[in-house]
Amino acid sequence: RPLDEFEKESLAAFRDGGNLKVRAEGDRLRVTGAIRAMSASCINCHKVEMGHLMGAFSYDLRRVGKDEVAKEEAAELVPGP
């Protein structure tokens, strides 16, 4: 899938040395983090320098209330049609 604007901004920050970006958006929390070569196995396998940006992760977390969690748990227990 194409990167969204938050992910594009995050990657630019990671290229400049950043490692984590977090943004609150209403009931959502957007989180991106850099994946860097930080061990000898990374460096030897990928032939890169220590700290090289190898990728990133992106999470979109949503706040849910107790009632919503209970409904989701109940739905998992009862087979759908």
Side-chain angles (χ1 to χ4, degrees):
R1 70 169 172 78
L3 299 178
D4 64 25
E5 286 306 311
F6 177 66
E7 292 167 328
K8 289 177 185 177
E9 292 169 12
S10 297
L11 279 177
F14 299 160
R15 289 185 184 109
D16 288 337
N19 286 312
L20 186 69
K21 294 278 285 180
V22 179
R23 178 181 292 165
E25 297 175 350
D27 67 344
R28 295 170 52 196
L29 189 64
R30 301 288 315 275
V31 181
T32 56
I35 300 172
R36 297 188 180 279
M38 298 303 289
S39 70
S41 60
C42 297
I43 293 165
N44 293 333
C45 184
H46 294 277
K47 307 296 185 226
V48 295
E49 294 181 17
M50 181 70 80
H52 177 80
L53 179 64
M54 299 185 54
F57 63 84
S58 179
Y59 288 100
D60 187 4
L61 307 172
R62 184 174 56 95
R63 183 183 313 226
V64 296
K66 291 179 185 177
D67 293 339
E68 198 171 354
V69 171
K71 286 178 189 176
E72 290 178 10
E73 289 174 348
E76 290 176 4
L77 297 175
V78 179

